[in-house]
Amino acid sequence: MLRYMINRTINAIFVLLAIITITFLLMHAIPGGPFTGEKNIPAAVLKNIEERYRLNDPLWKQYSDYLANLIRFDLGPSFKYEGRTVNDIIRESFPVSFQLGLVSICIAVLLGIPAGALAALRQNRWQDYGTMLLATLGVSVPSFVLATLLIYIFAVKLSLLPAAMWGGPEYVLLPAISLAGHPMAFIARLTRSSMLEVLAQDYIKTARAKGLSPMVILYRHALKNALLPVVTYIGPMAAAILTGSFVIETIFAIPGLGRHFVTSIYNRDYTVILGITVFYSVLVIGLNLIVDLIYPLLNPKIKINDNQES
């Protein structure tokens, strides 16, 4: 186990380094810079600003300086938010995205898995057809369409929930459902297909022949193995949701991390782009590692040993 963790950590460092390098080169390959869009800015002032942020240094020097600061967990200053660092932006906005994302993940998992299992157990019956119809709609309908529909029904017509902004628990429900719609539908479809495959295995037939109850067969034998593909999907899905959705955060005026990320691309705020990319990448890598460690808990036949390569 220890060797496996060390190998995964080393691989994660190389993957993260590759992501940083590619993002850095792509940013600087785009013509212009963070301050070239400013109107009526004198050339001398522009030169002083670039010297202040060391944007006129050679690319290799900017790259090496960024890596040196990154080792100290310093993501640098923002070029567009005066007096604020990337660490400050992430520290202030990520908790909002985290709260929204955590509720969305719970909705997607707690509703998607039972719906998919029910559809598999009632294959070719009305429960199966109804669940898969809703799942198909959930996968097909964009999140912004679902968000608009929810606002119209629950905020405008029924006046039960606020239409936008961020505050107490009542402000979380509509954006969380909008954000959870697609992953919940995908999890339901994935659970159904995986469950059908597991239920057709010989060991399930043997368990039925032994007279075990359907609930014991479902929870002790079928569900654990059927959840392996779902757990694989939940890892990167959770990272994407926790870092925020720009569309949903914009519709509901939520001050989360996703909005800062897209705004930084528009403003060519290099440090914010790199900082949020690094933060997102660490989340994805970390959650994928957690997924690998969960596998043996779901299926004891899957073992992690010191000779296993990641």
Side-chain angles (χ1 to χ4, degrees):
M1 173 68 76
L2 179 59
R3 183 178 177 183
Y4 173 79
M5 295 291 294
I6 294 174
N7 289 338
R8 285 301 302 265
T9 302
I10 295 174
N11 290 340
I13 292 174
F14 281 109
V15 170
L16 187 60
L17 185 61
I19 293 173
I20 294 172
T21 303
I22 294 172
T23 305
F24 181 87
L25 294 177
L26 287 176
M27 286 190 314
H28 288 276
I30 301 175
F35 304 102
T36 53
E38 302 289 342
K39 295 182 178 180
N40 300 324
I41 182 171
V45 175
L46 179 61
K47 183 179 179 181
N48 290 334
I49 295 176
E50 291 179 344
E51 288 181 355
R52 173 187 175 185
Y53 292 105
R54 298 183 178 179
L55 293 175
N56 53 357
D57 289 346
L59 281 183
W60 67 267
K61 183 68 166 56
Q62 296 183 45
Y63 179 75
S64 61
D65 288 345
Y66 184 83
L67 292 181
N69 293 330
L70 184 61
I71 295 175
R72 299 192 297 269
F73 301 100
D74 180 9
L75 298 176
S78 169
F79 296 152
K80 291 296 181 178
Y81 297 97
E82 183 68 27
R84 298 181 65 188
T85 65
V86 181
N87 296 65
D88 295 334
I89 294 174
I90 295 177
R91 189 181 304 113
E92 294 170 5
S93 58
F94 177 67
V96 176
S97 295
F98 180 82
Q99 294 175 42
L100 175 61
L102 186 61
V103 176
S104 301
I105 293 171
C106 291
I107 293 174
V109 172
L110 295 180
L111 296 182
I113 292 177
L118 176 63
L121 294 174
R122 297 292 186 267
Q123 186 182 15
N124 297 327
R125 299 180 185 179
W126 68 268
Q127 296 96 331
D128 184 19
Y129 295 137
T131 301
M132 287 302 98
L133 175 61
L134 293 176
T136 302
L137 290 175
V139 172
S140 305
V141 175
S143 59
F144 64 88
V145 174
L146 179 60
T148 304
L149 182 63
L150 292 175
I151 292 174
Y152 178 75
I153 295 175
F154 293 100
V156 177
K157 286 296 183 181
L158 301 179
S159 299
L160 295 176
L161 295 169
M165 303 306 293
W166 188 255
E170 67 275 11
Y171 291 87
V172 181
L173 194 56
L174 290 185
I177 295 175
S178 304
L179 196 56
H182 182 276
M184 178 175 61
F186 192 86
I187 288 174
R189 291 167 61 92
L190 193 60
T191 303
R192 177 186 180 273
S193 61
S194 181
M195 181 71 74
L196 289 175
E197 182 179 350
V198 170
L199 291 176
Q201 299 296 318
D202 291 337
Y203 66 88
I204 297 295
K205 297 177 182 178
T206 302
R208 288 172 178 167
K210 290 181 178 179
L212 297 179
S213 65
M215 297 303 293
V216 172
I217 294 175
L218 174 63
Y219 288 105
R220 184 177 297 178
H221 299 284
L223 192 57
K224 283 187 176 181
N225 292 323
L227 286 181
L228 290 176
V230 178
V231 171
T232 302
Y233 168 72
I234 288 177
M237 177 210 74
I241 291 180
L242 290 176
T243 50
S245 169
F246 170 71
V247 176
I248 297 301
E249 290 181 357
T250 301
I251 291 176
F252 290 96
I254 297 173
L257 190 60
R259 187 168 62 178
H260 283 295
F261 183 58
V262 178
T263 303
S264 66
I265 297 175
Y266 175 78
N267 292 330
R268 299 181 184 176
D269 198 343
Y270 293 160
T271 51
V272 176
I273 295 173
L274 269 173
I276 297 180
T277 300
V278 170
F279 184 73
Y280 176 81
S281 301
V282 171
L283 272 181
V284 172
I285 293 171
L287 289 173
N288 283 335
L289 178 59
I290 293 175
V291 167
D292 289 343
L293 297 178
I294 291 176
Y295 280 162
L297 300 178
L298 297 176
N299 188 348
K301 293 181 180 180
I302 300 176
K303 297 183 181 297
I304 296 177
N305 53 63
D306 288 343
N307 295 323
Q308 180 177 349
E309 296 294 335
S310 65

